[in-house]
Amino acid sequence: MNNLPTTSAVVEQALEIEKMGIFAIPLLPLIGAIFLGASLGQSKDRHWQSGWVATIFSAGSFVASLLIFSELIEGASSVRFTAWEWMSVGSFSVAFALTMDNLSGVMTLVVTGVGSLIHLYAIGYMDHDDSRPRFFCYLNLFLFSMLLLVLGENLLMMFIGWEGVGLCSYLLIGFWYKEMPNANAGQKAFVVNRIGDAGLLLGIFILFWQLGSLNFTDIQANVGLMPPYLIEAAAILLFIGAVGKSAQIPLFVWLPDAMAGPTPVSALIHAATMVTAGVYMVTRLSMLYLSAPNTLLVISVIGTCTAFVAATIALVQNDIKKVLAYSTVSQLGYMFMALGAGAFSNGIYHVVTHAFFKACLFMGAGSVIVGCHHEQDMRKFGGLRKPMKWTFLTYAFATYAIAGLPYGSGFFSKDSILWSVYSNPGSAAGIDVAGMPLSHVLWGFGLLTAFLTAFYMTRSLVLTFFGEYRGHHEAHESPWTMTLPLIILAVPSLIFGILFGETLIQFIAPWGRADMLVGHAKLAENHTYHLLELVSMGVAVLGVSLAAFVYLVKPQIASQTAKSAPKLYAFLSDKWRIDELYAAVIIRPLTGISNIAFRIIDRLFIDGTVNGTGFFVAANGELARRAHSGRIAGYMLFMVFGLIASLLFWILL
Amino acid sequence: MSEFTVFAAMPFILLLSVGFGMLCWDLFFKCDRLVWLLAAVFGAWGFAIPQYFVAETTMNDLVYLDGYSLFFYTLILFGTAATFVLNHRYLAKQNVRTSSDIDMLILLAACGGMVMVSAANLIVLFIGFELLSVSVYVLCGSARKERASSEGALKYFLFGAFSSAFLLYGMAMVYGACGTLSIPEIAESVTSATPMLLLGIGLLVFGFGFKVSLVPFHVWSPDVYQGAPVSITGFMAVVVKVAAFGSFLRVMSVCFGSIQADWAALLWTISIITMTVGNIVALRQTSIKRMLAYSSIAHAGYALIGFISMGDAGGVEATLFYMLSYSLMTVASFGAVIVVTSGSEAQYENDSIDSLHGLGWSHPFISLVLTVSLFSLAGIPPLAGFVGKFYLFKSAVTAGYTGLAIIAALNSVVSLYYYLRVVVVLYFKGERTLDWAPEKSIGAGPTIALATATVGTLAFGLFAEYCYPFIVVAVNGFS
Amino acid sequence: MSLTEAYLSLSAIMFGIGTLGVLLRKNTIVIFMCIELMLNAVNLSFVTLSREYGQVDGQVYVFFVMAVAAAEASVGLAIIMTVFRNFYSIETEDVHDLQG
Amino acid sequence: MSPIELQMQGSYLLPLLVVSPFFGIALLTLVPEKRDSLARNVSLFSSLLSFAISLVLLKQYDATTSAFQFGFDAPWLDTFGASFTFGIDGISLWLIVLTTFLTTLVLFASPSIHEKKRAYLSCLLLLEVGMLGTFVALDGLSFYLFWELMLVPMYFLIGIWGGSRKIYAALKFVLYTAFGSLLMLVAMVYLAWTHNQQFGSYSFFLGDWMRLALSDGQELSLYAAFALAFAIKIPLFPLHTWLPDAHVEAPTGGSVILAGVLLKMGLYGLIRFGVPVFPNAVVETAWVLGFLGVVGIVYGALVAWVQTDIKKLVAYSSVSHLGFCVLGFAAMNLQGLQGSVLQMINHGVSTAALFFIVGVLYDRKHTREISNYGGVVSVMPKFAFVYLVFTLSSIGLPLTNGFVGEFLILLGAFKFDWVLAAFAVSGVVLGAMYMLSLYRRVMFGPIDEDKNGDLSDLNLREGIVFAPLLVLVFVIGLFPQTILSDLEPASKKTIEYITPSKRASAAVDKGDTTSSPETLQTVDAKKNPRGLNS
């Protein structure tokens, strides 16, 4: 074994508890989904019940998670249960088993907690929709899949959830299937995710091939037995899966399109939970990634690029959900920056805080959309702070958090990420970019992104809630089922960092790099840290004030800037033209190849050969048939010459 | 002449006397001839059976009375019986005189075929050969008012006479080389291949090749098969071909088996050419009679495989079984065609494959018979045709001619196409839309004949094992 | 050249002439006559060989061949007559309805 | 003596199973012409009987041994060593269950056929005989018998009840298949003869063939003849072009059986005859099969993507899926092989269901053009659900049956050759692409009320057809072990044929290459190379 960093997880004596109840966590939403699915045919006047059923089942799941989680608080290292042997072929064996340890415990709570709130919110949001039972069925199904993903004891269990959430995402994006673009977006999401999944599968194969097991604990413990190049290969392949699921460059294109789904879906799946699965997975396999420095470097760079690129695009979006979508991509980029630096626990920290404020933002946006009669264009909002007081307040709190303003939850998590990027002792530090270590360059981009984040979030806040109302229909506040979840989420968005940040980081520290533990207590004496903290704080304030100035005081600046650089503006609002790039580089060639394969290879070449053989035989038959002319003289000659020829042939032979 | 000799000659005597009796029948009787004809045929068979138990040649070494003869008698007589049964109802509709001379000719031809296969002397063989041929020349032309029939008869006659001259010349060469005309004595005297002997063999192959229609001596057969009344075509395809194969095989194996290596290459080539030409030309046929003619050419090519691989490889046995299965399938397929085309007023115009259109649904029994026989001809298991091919392939591989087996297999694929095309017309093109149709009720006799042949096709496929020992015994008789 | 060989050669030449006649002539009756010539050529061989071997077999054979030839002639002429009735010709090139 | 063990329990279950459909055919001939529903019930009864027998087999099957069970032996062409020797192991057992199950479903769904009902039902039952016979035969020639026998009813099914180009499709199907199988017949005869050379008697028995000492060239060319026949049937790229035509033209029932069972015959043949008889050739050419399998995966998927006809699309998807099965087979390790067999069963379930689905649409609209549909989910919600599940099963979503098979295959393939596996994984993406694209184009989007507004949802009969298939999708997805554990002994045995035989042949090679049978037997005795129950 080379000098791999050790983590406390390996050292600590594991106390495992077998508890069947852990299966209740995913099963409750599943039951809900089946129940709702079975009652799809019922009459419309009972549709209102479906939302409550779904909410109750997801809340039940939250309670079950709390109960199991309490075991962890009481000192168990993990709670697990094997239901049955899923498949066992030769040396390959996978159990249908769930485990909750600290990492998955935190994720489970976030998923079920935030999930339940979003369920509640959706009751209001989907109030007038005809297909509510179907919606809540999918939503519960999603929760089930997500919980399998999080709780799965091995990579394959996780993969069930991984694909399951993809399916639900597909179904929910295309929920309003009568609009073809929605269906297209759903399919795009699924297929792009599948590209990632393909990589993930290959990674799984390498791990099984090398280690003979897919259990996370086995992988974590034995990863050092693998040759380094295979570690890198497995890590990068698994990371491809994460890139797909967590919408990183180059596979992020599906997420903005995914906003075609109902807003609660965007909040739950495409902000709070599913898209963070990639972060979760990398963290799960932290030992693997820590042993793969080059992969970590790749992750850093991709994370940084994604964060930056998405933030620039978010600057110019006018659809409020698109802004939030790119913001999500950007924040996910942050999380991967943390992972790339080996600060896994910081990444998870950001996952948690992001779940709070981004869910809150999305639901706020949803509330606005409902209030403005399904209008999503921010240019048609404005001045909504008066009619929609609660929505405004919660949105503002969440914006405060995401912008990284001091002592909001986003401030702590983002800051810890930036610090870990800056102080990354991994290979990023060793690479020299224009005289600076790469880690510092990445940090610089991270900082820039933080500025952009503050800017575009403030922009959305201002455009939506300040100024004059520019819409046509009168806006109104949403019902309590929608505002209550907003309020509940706004609170932790603001104060989670102060109250629980330290605890959380310690709680999931075993998945981090031992020398990378970032917490206030530990860093209290570090001057650089404080300096950087101040810088990022300043940047956030600057971003917010600049945006407030531009959009509140001098709106013309924005339009002039856009006009002064039209190409840049178009480039940004066309999302760096990545969709077009894909169309040109992948989709169209692939269609071309397929058509060639079908028309030329299949029809012309293969079938041509087959039919040609038949034709050739038949043509010879026709020739031979014509030779049978019916003329007696000809026949006589033929016979005699046939005799002579065969005799000659025989003699010569 | 011992008493047994007379007894052994009884099959021939019976057939000939009933045959000649038929000439006078119309003068004295008005009742149905069929029963008497069948009685003669089966009586001849009954008299022939005891021969099986006597392992000696009789009648001054002129005729073999062995299992081999009995085997071919059986095929010939059953083929003849089937011809009678199927003809009985339909000859009149084929513009053929229904007087008893047709029956006489058929009986004489059958008798000639039996003489051929049991001949132990080339003179006897020639007499049988000519008795068969001359009778069939007339039969071919029996629809005198049809141009096609007389043209067929002319062609058959001219080519037949021509090729029998070659056969005779071949026999003269063999006589010259061996100094005897007796088959067993020739067998003893043949030890090495002299040029004269080989030339004789070559000419014999011409003569017999004509009769069994091997390429390139087959040219007459499509025209004659198409021109003759369809009942007679069936008779030719079964009885004439089987009888010719029987004597051909006996001559080649008994007389020249010891120098097989010298003529195998010739027959190998002819076999491949025959099956290939037969099959590919059959692909392009529109007349069902002509198609079956080419198909029977191709089958002659397959059957030749047994000649090449005779001896320990079991080629003779394979050919015998092939003849058995071939007779069954051909009786069934031609029987069905007889029944169908005779339904038409102008059967010579309506012999196209398309005239079978939709019969599968209007005439299920006939169509089933035709379908099964065609599948069997194509070699689909578990039908007799498959087992026959299997035995041939086996003997070819055993004798070291794997390539020949492969070519035969590929030929089977080709043949599948034109056999299946008939099935397409029968079943796949919807209900019958033509303005004429065969009778719904085809009568008990034809039904029994067709059913027997069809069941036989299936049974000899599944239970070939129980028949094979007889074939082995039959072949052991002359080796 | 021995006498036997001479006769056999003559027989072969006759056979050849007969064959050529069959191949070259158009009239069916002439063709049939040529075939008779071929048969007689064979007969000559048989007689020659029979004498060479000192047996009667070959000569017996000749009688049979002659009988058969007579039978064939009667049947053949009858067939040619029916052809003439249907085609109003006995030239081979006129009789080719059946082909392919 | 024989390297494979055939447990003769004096059981007549297998012959009974094989001939049981004849019972229905016989009864059908007695049914009067117009009584369609009676005819259907009679045939259904007969197929249920077969299904019941197969369930008895399933129950009595002993999963602890790799021996062939329920042995039966009856003479056919005994002089030349061909007999009706029947016996099954786990692999054939499950394929038999699949066969009887699907046949029953197809017969149950038969009311959608209105013409020539009795003939249709008889064809299906005859087809069942052929399929069952193929799966139970341990004797080469009887295997060939049933193999060819399947062609006949399938030919009629396509030709009589098919679509507009049915004649072309039917002939193409038969000629394509017969081309391969006749060459296989010659190879079988050659093997029997070789047995005669080496052991003094002809034999077509699988166990006897395994004892043959074949030179490398012989083994390779004989295997090529077998593999060609099997590859056509699979169908392996580039021998697949009969399949889309046959599928498109065949009636629903024919397509279901064709996709569900017939396409498995090729791989089954490779497993049953290819591996035991030609172990060295299989190992040496495994990369060819694997490569063609992967090409098939990608190629089938791409071509499926650009189809405009639903049935053709599903047909090409079969090419892709069977590519996976071939890849798993070529990997020749336990995961690959078991995955391959499991995937055969899965494909039998899900693709058969997809063809039923196409049938449902076709029965209502009489068109298979994708562009004629759209927004169907609005009027057929139950159907949409069913269709979605089978689509997901087809693209291998976890918890459905398709995933388990695909995963195991890829796992095995990865061990075999990671490059191939990497390309094969692209099939996962492409599969999602074309299947979902089909689903989207047919089901989603605005509905054209005039064209599709009056489509009726699934009726009870169709619901009953889909219900068991739906259950199977999830049961196999969740508890694949029920099947996998039955497959395990047979698969292990199959793998073992390969591993030690290389050593044995190496030993022979080092010694006298023209070794007599006696020397080979001593080698056998010393090393026990086939390693099994001899």
Side-chain angles (χ1 to χ4, degrees), chain A residues 14 28 61 125 147 174 204 229 239 253 362 407 479 545 569-570 583 610 637 647:
Chain A
L28 279 168
S61 176
Y125 188 85
L147 288 167
I204 291 178
Y229 76 97
F239 175 64
V253 287
F362 259 116
Y407 305 104
S545 353
Y569 183 81
V610 172
L637 270 175
L647 288 181

Side-chain angles (χ1 to χ4, degrees), chain A residues 108-155:
Chain A
T108 309
L109 285 181
V110 171
V111 169
T112 53
V114 177
S116 301
L117 289 174
I118 294 174
H119 272 75
L120 181 65
Y121 170 86
I123 295 175
Y125 188 85
M126 301 298 287
D127 195 26
H128 298 292
D129 200 282
D130 279 347
S131 325
R132 261 176 297 167
R134 190 162 58 89
F135 178 80
F136 284 105
C137 170
Y138 292 166
L139 221 51
N140 260 357
L141 197 62
F142 168 77
L143 222 49
F144 162 72
S145 309
M146 190 67 210
L147 288 167
L148 278 189
L149 192 163
V150 171
L151 291 172
E153 191 183 62
N154 49 54
L155 263 170

Side-chain angles (χ1 to χ4, degrees), chain A residues 68-123:
Chain A
I68 303 293
F69 192 72
S70 64
E71 300 278 357
L72 298 180
I73 304 284
E74 281 164 21
S77 70
S78 67
V79 182
R80 63 174 305 285
F81 191 76
T82 304
W84 68 82
E85 188 80 10
W86 189 20
M87 35 179 144
S88 154
V89 175
S91 58
F92 173 74
S93 161
V94 169
F96 207 92
L98 300 182
T99 299
M100 187 194 275
D101 52 18
N102 292 2
L103 177 60
S104 52
V106 170
M107 284 299 282
T108 309
L109 285 181
V110 171
V111 169
T112 53
V114 177
S116 301
L117 289 174
I118 294 174
H119 272 75
L120 181 65
Y121 170 86
I123 295 175

Side-chain angles (χ1 to χ4, degrees), chain C residues 36-47:
Chain C
E36 291 291 320
L37 183 62
M38 291 163 73
L39 291 178
N40 285 323
V42 179
N43 284 349
L44 184 59
S45 296
F46 272 118
V47 174

